[in-house]
Amino acid sequence: MLTGCYNPERNCTEFKTGKFEFETYLNGEVVKTTFVRNDTLEIDFYEGKADSSSIRWINDCEYIAEKINPTSMRDRKALHFKILTTNDDVYTFEYALVGESNKQKGTAKKIR
């Protein structure tokens, strides 16, 4: 009997900075968000509006994002992102409010 371990690729440093696209379902529709990230800032573009967050990297694969100009109490809560796998120009990640256990997953594609 053969057994083996499969370790998914995680080349996180390739995804720390750049321009990305993220698609998700929102109210039964697929919506697309574009975002640009560098070492300390992430700017999201959705429905013609820009929203900025400060970024603090915990390690090469995890970071905390905090809205710079929150507009609600929920926006004041920081988000914890963790890159789970990478493949070519795509990465899979999970995210949740800091301190929350209810995590969601997503996939982003690097476009620059």
Side-chain angles (χ1 to χ4, degrees):
M1 178 183 239
L2 295 173
T3 60
C5 293
Y6 172 71
N7 290 324
E9 180 183 344
R10 262 182 40 151
N11 186 6
C12 300
T13 56
E14 292 294 318
F15 297 94
K16 287 179 89 170
T17 62
K19 184 174 183 179
F20 304 87
E21 287 181 342
F22 167 63
E23 290 183 349
T24 189
Y25 283 98
L26 184 64
N27 300 325
E29 294 182 35
V30 175
V31 294
K32 185 184 290 187
T33 300
T34 303
F35 60 97
V36 178
R37 181 172 58 229
N38 66 29
D39 283 340
T40 60
L41 182 68
E42 183 172 286
I43 304 170
D44 298 297
F45 301 95
Y46 176 67
E47 293 186 338
K49 296 178 185 173
D51 196 7
S52 302
S53 298
S54 64
I55 301 295
R56 181 174 50 87
W57 287 92
I58 299 169
N59 58 47
D60 283 343
C61 295
E62 296 180 67
Y63 67 93
I64 304 294
E66 294 183 75
K67 299 271 187 197
I68 292 174
N69 295 307
T71 57
S72 68
M73 287 305 289
R74 182 168 176 82
D75 278 353
R76 292 181 191 274
K77 295 185 178 185
L79 287 168
H80 177 230
F81 289 84
K82 181 177 183 180
I83 296 173
L84 302 174
T85 63
T86 64
N87 186 10
D88 295 327
D89 59 353
V90 175
Y91 71 94
T92 302
F93 62 96
E94 68 180 16
Y95 63 100
L97 293 171
V98 171
E100 297 284 325
S101 59
N102 184 21
K103 296 180 178 157
Q104 297 184 45
K105 287 189 178 181
T107 301
K109 179 178 182 178
K110 188 171 189 176
I111 54 178
R112 271 197 265 154

